[in-house]
Amino acid sequence: EEPATNAPALWGSPTVDNGACCKTLGEVRGNIDRLDREIVRLMAERGRYVHEAARFKANPAQVEAPERAEAVVKKAMALADADGLSPKVAEAAYRAMVRAFIDYEQGIFAAAASRGDAPWRNS
Ligand SMILES: O=C(O)C(=O)C[C@]1(C(=O)O)C=C[C@@H](O)C=C1
């Protein structure tokens, strides 16, 4: 069954905010929900720039820029390490996110090309 959200912790001592948080799993999840709002807002902003990046690509093969994608992942891992986030968590999250943005950008490019906007023709 799922853990109770209003019961005290079962072991250890609180680690966040110099031990001020957290007294219940509900309090933990309230903070995770607050951060997810920010993360999604930032991802939406990131997505608008990924959309913009498509305008600089001459053909669908250019959308997936593997060297840049790898550099983005490696940078996130280094930033994570400096910020106290597990680099493995950052790597997995960034690989999945960049993959999803590549698919998104491919869709943006394909739609522009089929409108006759992007100056690239399939065949
Ligand atoms: O930098 C680009 O060319 C982008 O299209 C952005 C982005 C990214 O999400 O950071 C997406 C696709 C490429 O694989 C590389 C990076």
Side-chain angles (χ1 to χ4, degrees):
E1 91 242 46
E2 297 262 338
T5 56
N6 56 358
L10 300 173
W11 58 270
S13 46
T15 52
V16 176
D17 268 355
N18 290 317
C21 198
C22 297
K23 292 186 170 50
T24 64
L25 183 55
E27 194 180 350
V28 171
R29 289 179 176 173
N31 281 283
I32 289 174
D33 288 345
R34 171 180 60 79
L35 292 166
D36 284 342
R37 289 187 70 89
E38 286 189 55
I39 291 167
V40 172
R41 183 179 54 71
L42 291 168
M43 284 179 72
E45 184 177 359
R46 192 183 197 286
R48 291 192 281 277
Y49 286 103
V50 172
H51 182 131
E52 184 65 15
R55 296 182 48 242
F56 298 83
K57 311 289 176 78
N59 57 61
Q62 281 197 333
V63 170
E64 183 162 357
E67 284 179 22
R68 171 62 182 171
E70 194 57 29
V72 168
V73 172
K74 290 280 150 60
K75 178 82 172 294
M77 291 172 71
L79 291 169
D81 208 22
D83 282 348
L85 169 66
S86 159
K88 285 178 122 181
V89 170
E91 180 178 20
Y94 262 77
R95 288 205 187 284
M97 184 178 73
V98 172
R99 182 67 254 166
F101 274 125
I102 290 168
D103 293 347
Y104 169 74
E105 192 179 331
Q106 294 282 18
I108 296 294
F109 191 93
S114 69
R115 282 197 307 274
D117 196 349
W120 175 83
R121 297 289 178 283
N122 195 356
S123 85

